[in-house]
């Protein structure tokens, strides 16, 4: 590593072996889904926590020479743990120390290193301006690197599109350790890493983002409804959520609950409006009068305070909590996803409600599309789920008790719900969101997966864009060095 790195840093400062206390703390921080951690889980031989790009280059070159695979951690939220586990000897490159953020003087762009979290990015933007933002995810602890490379759904996607739609440049290190920017990597690779995942092509070390302008005041509301009333409102929501003003985002969170000790199901209508309440209330009265939005339900605040609101922080005056990496919440969980193009019938929601009363901690999160998402062609980026999609569904089930039986029970529950939803969601293919990684959709062989095998899962994430991703991968990483259970395969194995 010393001979391949241009930096003068002692390798002991950033390379950590298994007998190091820093190794243990870094690995534990990365493993945010404990169901992937047990006595048979292979651990990385080393964890490299670089502070500069030269150390990342050296790690790639040395790993290839020694026949080791690489996994990269930015935030550690990978749903299936692929960023910190591997079946063959490997190292982890943890970008926790590689997270500088530079906002330009005119507040129009930001260079963000891939190890930064969304919370750190939002805090940095807000420190410079009350009227600029970036349209990315809700959870502050999510890493910038992986989130953007998978697309990046946010509360502002109806106004500005995905996070990946607002990337103007990137820095990538390829399998030979070469540093490439947008011009040198080429248009096809730059296209591929904005929604097609960076882990198949190299290590993305930084993004250049186009910031967006937001009002100095936005309005939020969070309205809970229960039982049959909630079910009726969710059914009605489907007909308006993608059609209202693009300034308005109303997501629905369905979860199990209790009222007076009796099990029931709650639907939360969780909303961001890019404007003030006096404009929102008449808009809602016209489009969704059934929800009965009132002035007292509305809270006006700055955009950065809305970030805290959606992240669940009660105190929205202390902004530096967004940069606190100690606020991570760990839980065993399993997630799946769908896209919906036609409203789900009432009878289906009756069955969904019944299923939610039979598990302790489960969620259906429904994010509306429409607006700007209808205007961007499917082929613009690898993320193809654009015009015609009413909303996205994320199914999520969590459990606290470790063990095979608890894991099996909860995973069976979410799989059963997913199977039940088959007639009501997209088909040919049944679509899924790449950032909600789901290995149930299909997996690669270790190093020679065929195109026909990989397209079983690849078409679900990327539809017609999958073939182009394979062509880009074949040209750019012909040795298939960057690979995992759901990486883009090589065309030569077709």
């Amino acid at each position: 590593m010393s001979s391949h790195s241009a930096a003068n840093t002692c390798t002991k400062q950033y390379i950590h072996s298994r007998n190091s206390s820093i190794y243990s703390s870094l690995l534990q921080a990365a493993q945010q889904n404990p169901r992937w951690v047990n006595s048979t889980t292979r651990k990385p031989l080393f964890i490299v926590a670089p502070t500069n790009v030269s150390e990342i280059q050296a790690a790639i070159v040395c790993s290839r020479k020694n026949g080791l695979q690489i996994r990269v951690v930015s935030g550690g939220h990978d749903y299936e743990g692929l960023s910190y586990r591997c079946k063959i000897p490997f190292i982890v490159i943890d970008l926790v120390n590689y997270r500088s953020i530079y906002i330009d003087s005119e507040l129009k762009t930001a260079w963000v290193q891939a190890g930064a979290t969304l919370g750190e990015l939002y805090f940095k933007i807000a420190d410079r301006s009350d009227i600029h933002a970036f349209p990315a995810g809700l959870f502050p602890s999510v890493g910038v690197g992986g989130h953007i490379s998978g697309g990046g759904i946010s509360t502002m996607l109806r106004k500005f599109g995905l996070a990946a739609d607002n990337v103007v440049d990137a820095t990538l290190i390829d399998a030979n350790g070469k540093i490439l920017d947008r011009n040198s990597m080429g248009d096809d690779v730059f296209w591929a890493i904005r929604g097609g995942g960076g882990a198949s092509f190299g290590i993305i070390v930084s993004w250049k983002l186009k910031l967006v302008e937001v009002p100095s005041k936005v309005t939020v509301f969070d309205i809970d409804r229960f039982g049959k009333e909630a079910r009726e409102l969710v059914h009605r929501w489907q007909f308006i959520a993608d059609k209202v003003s693009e300034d308005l985002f109303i997501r629905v969170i369905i979860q199990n609950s209790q009222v007076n000790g009796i099990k029931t199901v709650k639907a939360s209508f969780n909303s961001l409006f890019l404007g003030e309440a006096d404009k929102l209330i008449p808009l809602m009265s016209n489009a969704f009068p059934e929800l009965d939005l009132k002035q007292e339900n509305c809270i006006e605040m700055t955009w950065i305070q809305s970030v805290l609101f959606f992240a669940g922080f009660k105190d929205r005056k202390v902004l530096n909590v967004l940069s606190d990496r100690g606020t991570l919440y760990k839980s065993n969980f399993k997630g799946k996803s769908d896209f919906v193009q036609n409203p789900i019938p009432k009878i289906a929601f009756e069955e969904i409600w019944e299923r939610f009363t039979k598990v302790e901690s489960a969620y259906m999160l429904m994010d509306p599309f429409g607006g700007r998402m209808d205007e961007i062609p499917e082929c613009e980026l690898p993320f193809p789920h654009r015009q015609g999609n009413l909303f996205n569904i994320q199914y999520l089930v969590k459990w606290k008790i470790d063990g095979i039986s608890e894991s099996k029970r909860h995973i069976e529950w979410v799989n059963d719900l997913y199977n039940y939803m088959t007639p009501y969601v997209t088909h040919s293919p049944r679509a899924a969101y790449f950032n909600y990684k789901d290995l149930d959709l299909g997996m690669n062989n270790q190093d020679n997966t065929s195109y026909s095998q990989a397209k079983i899962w690849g078409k679900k994430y990327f539809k017609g864009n999958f073939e182009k991703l394979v062509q880009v991968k074949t040209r750019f990483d012909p040795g298939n060095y960057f690979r995992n259970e759901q990486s883009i395969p090589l065309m030569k194995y077709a």
Side-chain angles (χ1 to χ4, degrees):
M1 287 286 289
S2 297
S3 62
H4 288 286
S5 173
N8 295 319
T9 312
C10 172
T11 56
K12 289 183 179 180
Q13 293 182 27
Y14 64 94
I15 302 177
H16 309 290
S17 61
R18 291 178 181 175
N19 59 0
S20 161
S21 60
I22 297 177
Y23 173 101
S24 299
S25 62
L26 288 173
L27 188 59
Q28 288 172 13
Q31 295 170 333
Q32 292 184 33
N33 190 350
R35 79 183 180 94
W36 291 115
V37 183
N38 55 53
S39 58
T40 64
T41 303
R42 183 190 289 271
K43 294 183 177 181
L45 295 176
F46 299 93
I47 297 178
V48 179
T51 57
N52 61 69
V53 72
S54 175
E55 292 162 0
I56 302 172
Q57 291 175 283
I60 294 173
V61 172
C62 293
S63 294
R64 284 193 67 187
K65 284 189 174 183
N66 287 281
L68 302 176
Q69 273 287 285
I70 285 176
R71 294 293 181 265
V72 182
V73 170
S74 54
H77 282 270
D78 191 309
Y79 275 38
E80 299 283 21
L82 299 184
S83 61
Y84 52 80
R85 63 187 186 94
C86 184
K87 293 180 179 179
I88 62 175
F90 73 110
I91 70 164
V92 163
I93 297 179
D94 191 329
L95 298 175
V96 64
N97 297 321
Y98 194 80
R99 59 180 198 262
S100 296
I101 300 169
Y102 171 74
I103 311 293
D104 85 345
S105 58
E106 296 182 355
L107 296 170
K108 292 182 179 179
T109 59
W111 269 108
V112 187
Q113 291 182 341
T117 63
L118 295 179
E120 289 170 334
L121 171 61
Y122 299 154
F123 178 77
K124 195 78 170 184
I125 295 170
D127 189 48
R128 297 290 302 276
S129 171
D130 287 335
I131 59 167
H132 286 86
F134 186 72
L138 277 69
F139 298 101
S141 57
V142 169
V144 165
H147 177 73
I148 297 176
S149 74
I153 290 174
S154 77
T155 59
M156 296 193 290
L157 89 167
R158 303 190 65 250
K159 179 77 170 183
F160 301 110
L162 304 171
D165 292 321
N166 293 277
V167 172
V168 294
D169 203 345
T171 308
L172 169 74
I173 304 179
D174 69 10
N176 297 313
K178 187 175 180 180
I179 303 172
L180 305 169
D181 63 7
R182 178 177 181 172
N183 289 331
S184 55
M185 73 176 73
D187 289 342
D188 56 351
V189 179
F190 185 61
W191 172 87
I193 62 174
R194 291 175 295 151
S200 296
F201 303 95
I203 297 180
I204 298 166
V205 293
S206 59
W207 297 104
K208 186 178 183 181
L209 311 176
K210 178 181 67 178
L211 303 184
V212 300
E213 290 191 17
V214 293
S216 57
K217 277 188 181 180
V218 302
T219 305
V220 301
F221 66 79
D222 190 8
I223 296 176
D224 295 338
R225 294 291 186 262
F226 298 86
K228 183 180 179 180
E229 180 189 9
R231 193 165 64 233
E232 295 283 342
L233 286 169
V234 173
H235 180 260
R236 173 63 187 145
W237 167 89
Q238 299 177 102
F239 294 88
I240 62 96
D242 69 309
K243 298 175 180 64
V244 295
S245 165
E246 64 183 13
D247 289 325
L248 178 58
F249 175 91
I250 312 170
R251 75 195 305 238
V252 172
I253 304 172
I254 299 169
Q255 64 187 104
N256 41 8
S257 185
Q258 287 194 1
V259 175
N260 298 324
I262 299 173
K263 285 186 177 181
T264 187
V265 178
K266 176 174 75 172
S268 299
F269 295 84
N270 201 215
S271 179
L272 171 69
F273 176 63
L274 298 174
E276 298 182 11
D278 61 354
K279 293 183 179 180
L280 172 61
I281 291 172
L283 192 161
M284 286 290 291
S285 296
N286 180 56
F288 197 9
E290 297 88 348
L291 191 60
D292 194 25
L293 180 71
K294 292 182 168 51
Q295 182 73 42
E296 57 263 33
N297 302 129
C298 301
I299 311 171
E300 293 182 343
M301 57 182 65
T302 62
W303 169 77
I304 193 64
Q305 289 174 324
S306 78
V307 170
L308 293 166
F309 173 84
F310 280 97
F313 292 103
K314 301 297 182 185
D315 187 347
R316 291 185 285 275
K317 294 181 180 179
V318 183
L319 301 182
N320 61 7
V321 69
L322 293 170
S323 299
D324 183 2
R325 289 179 175 243
T327 60
L328 301 180
Y329 172 74
K330 293 194 176 190
S331 174
N332 297 289
F333 72 89
K334 171 64 181 178
K336 304 182 81 69
S337 64
D338 265 320
F339 289 86
V340 177
Q341 296 183 336
N342 296 292
I344 299 167
K346 286 184 179 181
I347 192 171
F349 283 112
E350 292 177 9
E351 176 64 23
I352 292 167
W353 254 238
E354 177 64 24
R355 288 171 180 266
F356 266 79
T357 63
K358 297 177 180 178
V359 71
E360 293 75 31
S361 185
Y363 307 84
M364 248 176 93
L365 299 95
M366 303 156 73
D367 294 321
F369 279 33
R372 179 70 180 133
M373 293 296 284
D374 280 347
E375 300 168 358
I376 302 173
E378 280 193 4
C379 60
E380 182 75 13
L381 292 183
F383 181 100
H385 317 291
R386 306 284 190 168
Q387 187 175 21
N389 288 287
L390 304 181
F391 55 92
N392 165 255
I393 300 176
Q394 178 181 188
Y395 312 93
L396 202 63
V397 64
K398 299 180 180 182
W399 61 98
K400 293 181 180 179
I401 302 173
D402 293 329
I404 295 174
S405 61
E406 280 296 288
S407 293
K408 185 173 182 291
R409 180 169 72 88
H410 287 85
I411 292 173
E412 283 180 352
W413 181 89
V414 76
N415 285 338
D416 286 345
L417 175 60
Y418 181 78
N419 291 335
Y420 173 77
M421 294 295 293
T422 303
Y424 310 116
V425 297
T426 54
H427 54 84
S428 302
R430 183 174 184 174
Y433 176 33
F434 189 61
N435 270 354
Y436 301 153
K437 199 77 60 68
D438 182 6
L439 294 182
D440 296 343
L441 302 180
M443 287 189 285
N444 295 344
N445 297 329
Q446 187 57 47
D447 56 7
N448 63 347
T449 295
S450 67
Y451 171 81
S452 59
Q453 179 184 350
K455 75 177 181 179
I456 295 171
W457 59 261
K459 292 279 188 178
K460 295 175 182 178
Y461 291 132
F462 306 114
K463 297 175 67 175
N465 294 330
F466 182 64
E467 184 171 351
K468 182 177 177 180
L469 284 168
V470 173
Q471 293 170 350
V472 175
K473 167 71 173 183
T474 303
R475 181 189 66 78
F476 190 70
D477 182 22
N480 198 25
Y481 180 65
F482 291 105
R483 63 183 187 270
N484 59 45
E485 283 87 337
Q486 279 189 351
S487 57
I488 305 300
L490 300 180
M491 185 62 80
K492 71 178 183 179
Y493 292 114

